[in-house]
Amino acid sequence: MATFLYKLGRLAFRRRHFVALIWVALLTLAGVGAASAPPAGNSSFSIPGTEAQKAFDLLEQRFPGASADGATARVVFKAPGGEKMTDAGNKATVNKTVKELSHGSEVASVADPYTGHAVSKDGTIVYASVKYKVSGMELEDSSRTALEDAAKDARDAGLTVEIGGDALSAAPETGATEVIGIAIAAVVLVITFGSLLAAGLPLLTAIIGVGIGVSTVTALAHALDLGTTTSTLATMIGLAVGIDYALFIVSRYRAELAEGREREEAAGRAVGTAGSAVVFAGLTVVIALVGLSVVNIPMLTKMGIAAAGTVVVAVLIALTMIPALLGYAGRRVKPAGQKSRLLGGARAAKKAARPNMGTRWASFVVRRPVAVLLLGVIGLGAAAVPAASLELGLPDDGSQPVSTTQRRAYDLLSEGFGPGFNGPLMVVVDAKKSDDPKAAFTRVTDDIKGLKDVVTVTPAQPNKAGDTATVTVIPNSKPSSTTTEDLVHAIRDAGSGIKAKTDAEVLVTGSTAMNIDVSQKLNDALFPYLALVVGLAFLLLIVVFRSLLVPLKAALGFLLSVLAALGAVVAVFQWGWLSGLMGVEETGPVMSMMPIFMVGVVFGLAMDYEVFLVTRMREAYVHGEKPGQAIVTGFRHGARVVTAAAVIMIAVFSGFIGSSESMIKMIGFGLAIAVFFDAFIVRMAVVPAVLALLGRRAWWLPKWLDRVLPNVDVEGEGLRTEPGSGPKDLDEDRELVRV
């Protein structure tokens, strides 16, 4: 592989005009496609194989035209102090608002609060339910404007009016922190390379890669039913890996220049060596992201595949566009150890004789491996302790910032009708096989009324055929509570007895039940997914490192870092530690997708650092250095770059903490803290300590397995005999390899 990539790098360097033209053309094509594509349609959240989804599908069949997947809105009215909503003036204002709301072309129905028993016991709060013919993503802006205008008119009349539901759903905003993250990445690159031009190359190529990836996602959003979160994730992952992959190749290019190679030869060798590591690091990320499809949640599958596509683009750009741009830059990109005059290049030579920080740190770890290992493991173990209290759920309007009308509507409904009113359960009774459907419907309502935590059970509402009915159940506790989850399971348990006696099937659905089923499905899929991803990556790393213990150590180190990161997420988003600093206005259960999502993404990113750092150690080892010295050599060449890459990733991910969407905020924080733990504790401390303790055993591989495995030559050994290798003593090099 190294030889092929070496030739590719030299070709891109020589044919830089052609390579640059191809990538600019692809960016233009993707941009035109995104601009001309129809807007994204309904981003459905179907969960195949769950009872909630089965009930939802049954409603579509038995209640045609009911717009079961249509957007909904609850317009909540509260009377001024000392008044009630049943007063004549306030009642007239509500009736006028209901009439205004019913005029919309996309409105399916509007429920009058006074005829629909939607008045609180104290008479101070009422709500009108609005049902639309289309989903929230398909809703026209004019319909949203009409909804907001109607609420404004009622406010002008003196009422407090807030709007809940998904009709006002909008794309999440990330704010200025995302730009700050990119700015920090730029500063880190300038410090690392000592050159504005060299620092600009990774940023430029990463932006182009993300532009192509996100534009492609936008162009296909309508056809493939992709949501806004998909492009946000693609941006997040694409920026981070795009900068990192380019950073490693540019850094190796400068190191090759420092050894006296010509620029084209240096570009070829940089792509052949660091580029090989980029390919395998990218493969681990792609495996982890595409592997999310085993969970069988369409939204998660699409997010993973879209992000994986952006990673593939980042790898291809790093292998081709970076050497092309290096050709354009010429002598303006300095060899390693040299800085531009603007950044103090004249002073660089004076510091050259002193070992760098990576060398000094690695030497310390090699001398004190047990102490470093224990300190790192104990620290990560302490950070992981909160993960034992992990509670999972999906965000609802109760997790929105208090500044939003959705959150204020949620609070008003809780105040007027109880905390469970925001998470009603819909019970679907399929009595098609029952001899007496009406008796079955009555039996269901009576049995549910006798359960704990039930406030209200509405009479059964049968369809026209009379073989299916819906029953709405209002719990006594909020949607995300474990008590409500217990109630859902209790209704389903009662349904088993009802089916045995009446042949009627009882199914529980609604957003609350769907969230519970999603959490359970994700929990069930976590260990199979972990086994699949870690297993495939373990095999891949055996091929890369030609060792059994190094991949095993990499996987165990990843588990430490991801558990510590989950502990930090629980501490901030569930317990509320530092919640003000992170902009978390409402603590609660951790998003159900967070553990499995972090396993996928963090594993891929963790293997990036493992591949980049340890391949440099293996390269030194196979060229004749002793195990301890190989560790120091790997850190001398790779620690500075891996540190810069980690800081850049942390900066990019941290930029998404400013998002208005709680899911994006949590993902940004979780990935940022996971990269910190993995890069600076696991890869920089635990890994060298373990390798120092193992010595030569770290690189042991059974002879039979060594013969079976393909030789991918990540270390670039094949390049040592390539034409143009420079004035090296090749015979001496080969002798070192034999030793």
Side-chain angles (χ1 to χ4, degrees), residues 673-734:
I673 197 70
V675 169
F676 173 79
F677 287 147
D678 195 85
F680 293 109
I681 300 179
V682 173
R683 308 302 152 189
M684 289 291 185
V686 174
V687 165
V690 171
L691 290 177
L693 290 172
L694 291 175
R696 293 185 183 275
R697 289 168 294 181
W699 308 108
W700 172 79
L701 186 69
K703 291 182 179 180
W704 66 268
L705 187 56
D706 187 43
R707 289 193 298 268
V708 172
L709 291 178
N711 183 11
V712 295
D713 189 22
V714 176
E715 301 85 13
E717 180 56 31
L719 301 184
R720 303 179 77 83
T721 57
E722 280 293 309
S725 58
K728 289 279 186 180
D729 190 342
L730 298 180
D731 292 334
E732 180 182 346
D733 288 342
R734 293 191 193 101

Side-chain angles (χ1 to χ4, degrees), residues 396-404 406-407 585-586 660-662:
D396 54 21
D397 284 349
S399 61
Q400 296 267 19
V402 293
S403 58
T404 62
Q406 292 97 326
R407 171 61 187 276
E585 298 184 13
E586 183 72 19
S660 61
E661 178 67 40
S662 60

Side-chain angles (χ1 to χ4, degrees), residues 24-181:
V24 170
L26 288 174
L27 178 61
T28 304
L29 186 64
V32 171
S36 58
N42 175 24
S43 181
S44 59
F45 191 71
S46 62
I47 313 295
T50 61
E51 179 175 316
Q53 186 63 47
K54 182 180 178 182
F56 185 82
D57 295 339
L58 185 66
L59 287 174
E60 290 282 313
Q61 297 173 9
R62 305 286 175 85
F63 290 83
S67 300
D69 62 342
T72 58
R74 277 178 171 174
V75 184
V76 188
F77 305 84
K78 183 176 182 180
E83 298 182 19
K84 292 190 176 183
M85 289 305 303
T86 51
D87 295 346
N90 294 335
K91 192 172 182 179
T93 300
V94 172
N95 289 333
K96 180 182 177 183
T97 303
V98 169
K99 188 175 181 180
E100 287 181 26
L101 291 171
S102 62
H103 290 158
S105 60
E106 294 182 314
V107 175
S109 63
V110 182
D112 188 317
Y114 299 104
T115 59
H117 308 289
V119 182
S120 64
K121 289 183 179 179
D122 61 5
T124 60
I125 298 174
V126 303
Y127 70 91
S129 295
V130 185
K131 184 75 174 177
Y132 291 90
K133 300 174 184 176
V134 296
S135 69
M137 294 297 295
E138 295 172 317
L139 204 62
E140 296 285 345
D141 289 340
S142 58
S143 296
R144 292 192 178 94
T145 301
L147 181 62
E148 292 169 337
D149 289 345
K152 183 177 181 299
D153 292 342
R155 289 191 192 103
D156 292 341
L159 300 179
T160 298
V161 186
E162 304 296 345
I163 305 170
D166 61 351
L168 291 183
S169 60
E173 298 176 358
T174 55
T177 50
E178 182 182 347
V179 178
I180 295 173

